[in-house]
Amino acid sequence: QDVVTEVAEPPALLVDIAVARREPVTFTVESQGSVAPRTQTTMVAEASGVIVEVSPNFVSGGFFRKGDVLVRIDPRNYSAAVKRAKANVARAATQLATESALAGYARDDWKRLREVSPGVAPASDLTLRKPQLQEALASLQSAEADLEKAEGDLDRTVIRAPYNGMVRQKIADVGQYVNTGSQLAVTFAVDKAEVPLPVTQQDLQYLDIAKLRRGEPFSVILKADLGGGSVTLEALVTRTGGVFDPQSRVLYLVAEVLDPYDTAGTGQIPLLVGTFVSAEISGRPGGELFKIPRHSMPRGNTIWLVDEESRIHPREVSVVRRDNEFVYVEEGIESGDQYLSLIHI
């Protein structure tokens, strides 16, 4: 069988002439990442019993506000414990009142004895019933502590939302028996979200990381494609991950997004947790540079200049940086120089 070899045609090129101009440049660093919750909680039961009620919003994807009751556990055993604790407090209070009265009687008896017999020895603590009084006081304090614990256990049968948030995963439901420590749901706060953005060691030189250490965030533009539409919003890089990832050798910068689910009702398309976004991080000023399109210097540091007689000749230039669109040149050409620009068509 004959093998037919097809020769690929070289790409067509459009030749153009551009003029070099110096202009102020502020570097940007491109990155990408996924939206993640800033605060995420695994909600657990702090009391044992059967779940007797859940909120209508206690479903995966359900929103709730801080203080909303999400889950109620059968409180009957804990209510009985509170009643017993209150009875013990009342009993201990009565005992303390009795011992206080008896101690008063003992003190009065000793005073009368002292009047009759001036040479009598000083009264001991036992004579004045001080140990019995201290024991009764300690019993009351112990009973009050037991009551406080019983009331706290009863209060913990009601699970309230710790913040404005959303249920990410529902684990337990009505009728299920749970023990102390059983997982009920995974929730996260919706006031803020975070986007970890990996940046290479090479690109870090174009960012002013020292600003973050001074508590000065810098801006970032986030872009995402959602439902056929594009979402663009401004956010702030507020901190770094602090260490380089040992496998990928990148440092994660953390961008903070306010109200990602638009709970304020501004009309912004929600930026859902897990959404993949691209980012343009604002960097440091680069000064006055030549921005040469990347296709005009596809490789190396050589640019092809065009003289007044339309002849081309190579020129080595000093390149400060390359990105996906431009090559930033500092020295080697002058403003007004014409150079060859090749465009694939």
Side-chain angles (χ1 to χ4, degrees):
Q1 185 177 357
D2 296 335
V3 177
V4 179
T5 302
E6 294 185 1
V7 179
E9 295 184 2
L13 299 176
L14 176 64
V15 178
D16 194 11
I17 295 176
V19 179
R21 303 288 184 192
R22 282 191 183 271
E23 58 181 287
V25 171
T26 298
F27 292 125
T28 61
V29 173
E30 295 185 355
S31 186
Q32 55 192 15
S34 296
V35 181
R38 187 193 66 163
T39 302
Q40 180 166 295
T41 305
T42 300
M43 193 173 293
V44 300
E46 296 184 83
S48 300
V50 176
I51 297 176
V52 295
E53 181 185 346
V54 297
S55 167
N57 295 327
F58 190 68
V59 292
S60 296
F63 287 92
F64 53 80
R65 299 192 64 81
K66 182 178 181 179
D68 287 353
V69 175
L70 300 180
V71 177
R72 291 184 186 272
I73 297 173
D74 188 354
R76 289 176 295 178
N77 291 339
Y78 297 95
S79 296
V82 169
K83 292 178 181 179
R84 288 193 296 269
K86 287 182 177 179
N88 290 335
V89 168
R91 187 178 302 110
T94 300
Q95 183 64 29
L96 177 61
T98 300
E99 286 298 336
S100 180
L102 291 175
Y105 296 149
R107 186 170 54 255
D108 293 340
D109 290 344
W110 180 79
K111 288 181 179 180
R112 285 193 294 269
L113 178 61
R114 185 178 178 183
E115 292 174 356
V116 175
S117 303
V120 70
S124 66
D125 289 346
L126 189 60
T127 300
L128 299 178
R129 299 186 64 86
K130 288 184 177 180
Q132 294 88 333
L133 184 61
Q134 291 174 348
E135 182 183 7
L137 179 60
S139 296
L140 176 60
Q141 291 173 339
S142 177
E144 290 174 339
D146 290 342
L147 174 59
E148 183 178 351
K149 179 181 182 303
E151 290 176 337
D153 290 342
L154 177 61
D155 182 66
R156 283 187 281 273
T157 61
V158 179
I159 310 299
R160 294 177 173 84
Y163 41 66
N164 296 343
M166 173 188 284
V167 178
R168 184 167 192 167
Q169 180 186 6
K170 179 181 178 180
I171 301 175
D173 210 338
V174 172
Q176 182 174 341
Y177 183 88
V178 293
N179 289 308
T180 301
S182 297
Q183 296 185 1
L184 304 177
V186 178
T187 64
F188 62 87
V190 295
D191 59 336
K192 295 179 182 178
E194 293 183 341
V195 184
L197 301 171
V199 176
T200 64
Q201 286 180 277
Q202 181 179 359
D203 282 340
L204 279 179
Q205 62 183 308
Y206 305 113
L207 300 174
D208 191 357
I209 298 298
K211 291 178 65 176
L212 296 180
R213 292 195 290 268
R214 297 194 300 267
E216 302 175 14
F218 42 81
S219 63
V220 58
I221 303 297
L222 302 178
K223 297 180 181 179
D225 294 326
L226 295 174
S230 179
V231 179
T232 300
L233 55 87
E234 293 187 10
L236 293 175
V237 174
T238 57
R239 59 184 176 87
T240 72
V243 295
F244 277 92
D245 184 275
Q247 280 75 39
S248 59
R249 302 307 304 166
V250 297
L251 177 68
Y252 282 91
L253 306 184
V254 180
E256 188 175 272
V257 181
L258 299 178
D259 195 14
Y261 281 82
D262 191 32
T263 57
T266 62
Q268 170 190 306
I269 299 177
L271 191 63
L272 308 183
V273 166
T275 301
F276 182 80
V277 299
S278 59
E280 293 182 3
I281 306 171
S282 177
R284 62 176 179 82
E288 299 276 339
L289 301 174
F290 296 100
K291 289 175 62 175
I292 307 299
R294 185 70 181 262
H295 54 72
S296 297
M297 294 180 61
R299 292 178 298 274
N301 296 342
T302 302
I303 189 171
W304 291 88
L305 297 183
V306 181
D307 61 19
E308 296 178 353
E309 298 179 0
S310 298
R311 293 177 299 185
I312 60 174
H313 53 90
R315 175 75 60 82
E316 292 293 319
V317 295
S318 174
V319 175
V320 175
R321 187 193 180 200
R322 295 174 181 266
D323 61 24
N324 292 333
E325 296 183 8
F326 297 100
V327 178
Y328 300 92
V329 174
E330 184 175 25
E331 301 293 342
I333 55 177
E334 302 293 336
S335 291
D337 285 350
Q338 295 182 331
Y339 60 90
L340 200 62
S341 178
L342 302 179
I343 304 175
H344 290 278
I345 60 172

